[in-house]
């Protein structure tokens, strides 16, 4: 079955530590997106990529980094520069401009 | 002014009633509009999309779009307790990024 897989489901980060969230899709979608969701709030765009080896900052990119070396994969690194990283992180993909997103199941990151 | 505005609710309706969820958006260039349902602790799932002015029906769901008024709505007929969730309105941003702009969502409670 085609889909988009995020791992891990839960992640705990210590202060000053970098962590990487995985996002893999086998839907052959060109575009991939990372969002952050805080309790009671909407989704805020962190980074997006419309093609391999190219990505753009979203509205809240500070403290995050991404890579897009393969069409299937779009990992997100939460760096120590991100001061308030506790949130629900969602990865999404879509085939082209006028389609909706398919979301992964999300990663819940907590700072300990 | 927020880019996408939704009443956060909760909107409470009795089982079997019609639930009406509303959304206004600021980007006049938006051409595609999506509604997502998000259960607590889960990722959003696409339930409706609409591109043209007027109504679009799919089962118990009807999406309505008025681009001149920058208004989109979702009607849920014969509401069921399983419809209790947060509903996210997501117009696609104008330009060629394909990114969706999410409202903060309306929480719907369907009471048996």
């Amino acid at each position: 079955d085609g889909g988009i897989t995020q791992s891990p489901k839960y992640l705990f980060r210590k202060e000053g530590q970098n962590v990487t969230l995985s996002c893999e899709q086998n839907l052959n979608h060109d575009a991939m997106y990372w969002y952050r969701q805080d309790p009671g709030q909407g989704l805020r765009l962190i980074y997006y990529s419309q093609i391999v080896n190219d990505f753009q900052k979203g509205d809240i990119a500070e403290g995050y980094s991404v890579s897009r070396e393969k069409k299937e994969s779009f990992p997100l690194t939460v760096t120590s520069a991100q001061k308030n990283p506790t949130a629900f992180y969602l990865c999404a993909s879509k085939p082209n401009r006028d389609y909706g997103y398919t979301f992964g199941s999300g990663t819940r990151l907590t700072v300990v | 002014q927020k880019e996408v505005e939704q009443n956060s609710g909760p909107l409470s309706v009795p089982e079997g009633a019609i639930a009406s969820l509303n959304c206004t958006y600021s980007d006049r260039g938006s051409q595609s509009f999506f509604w997502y349902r998000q259960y607590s602790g889960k990722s959003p799932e696409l339930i409706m999309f609409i591109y043209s002015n007027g109504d679009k029906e799919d089962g118990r769901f009807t999406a309505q779009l008025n681009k001149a008024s920058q208004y989109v709505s979702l009607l849920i007929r014969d509401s069921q307790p399983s419809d209790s969730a947060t509903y996210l309105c997501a117009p696609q941003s104008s330009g060629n990024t394909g990114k969706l702009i999410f409202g903060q969502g309306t929480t719907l409670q369907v009471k048996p």
Side-chain angles (χ1 to χ4, degrees):
Chain A
D1 286 339
I4 181 166
T5 302
Q6 290 187 244
S7 62
K9 189 172 182 178
Y10 298 96
L11 185 58
F12 298 91
R13 192 194 93 166
K14 296 181 180 179
E15 295 283 351
Q17 190 179 45
N18 292 355
V19 292
T20 297
L21 284 58
S22 171
C23 179
E24 302 276 337
Q25 53 100 358
N26 61 2
L27 299 166
N28 199 34
H29 287 173
D30 290 311
M32 298 186 74
Y33 304 80
W34 274 105
Y35 284 84
R36 166 181 173 145
Q37 188 175 36
D38 294 281
Q41 297 192 28
L43 279 65
R44 293 185 289 168
L45 182 63
I46 304 172
Y47 268 99
Y48 63 100
S49 168
Q50 293 177 277
I51 196 169
V52 174
N53 293 322
D54 187 49
F55 49 83
Q56 307 296 327
K57 292 182 178 180
D59 301 316
I60 56 165
E62 185 176 352
Y64 300 97
S65 66
V66 293
S67 63
R68 186 87 186 276
E69 297 176 0
K70 298 186 300 181
K71 186 175 185 177
E72 300 79 16
S73 179
F74 191 40
L76 174 74
T77 296
V78 184
T79 74
S80 57
Q82 171 49 242
K83 298 306 178 188
N84 186 21
T86 295
F88 188 41
Y89 289 85
L90 289 159
C91 181
S93 69
K94 64 188 299 187
N96 66 41
R97 202 173 72 87
D98 293 326
Y99 277 75
Y101 295 158
T102 298
F103 280 96
S105 57
T107 292
R108 200 166 296 276
L109 173 62
T110 304
V111 174
V112 296
Chain B
Q1 182 190 5
K2 292 182 181 178
E3 291 185 85
V4 180
E5 298 216 35
Q6 296 182 256
N7 188 326
S8 61
L11 172 65
S12 184
V13 300
E15 184 175 355
I18 296 175
S20 177
L21 308 167
N22 305 315
C23 171
T24 58
Y25 60 94
S26 62
D27 186 348
R28 285 195 170 274
S30 293
Q31 297 296 319
S32 306
F33 303 84
F34 304 88
W35 281 98
Y36 285 83
R37 177 176 63 199
Q38 186 176 26
Y39 292 113
S40 181
K42 303 296 185 181
S43 62
E45 57 178 320
L46 181 65
I47 55 171
M48 285 289 287
F49 59 90
I50 186 166
Y51 303 142
S52 303
N53 281 330
D55 295 359
K56 178 183 177 182
E57 186 175 319
D58 184 2
R60 295 186 297 112
F61 299 100
T62 299
Q64 299 175 316
L65 175 61
N66 183 327
K67 292 183 182 178
S69 300
Q70 295 174 254
Y71 174 88
V72 59
S73 66
L74 179 70
L75 301 178
I76 306 175
R77 290 182 300 282
D78 188 23
S79 295
Q80 301 297 310
S82 59
D83 295 325
S84 298
T86 296
Y87 290 81
L88 303 170
C89 171
Q92 181 170 280
S93 178
S94 58
N96 65 355
T97 65
K99 61 182 179 181
L100 304 186
I101 309 299
F102 287 85
Q104 70 176 55
T106 297
T107 298
L108 173 66
Q109 296 175 346
V110 181
K111 297 189 175 181

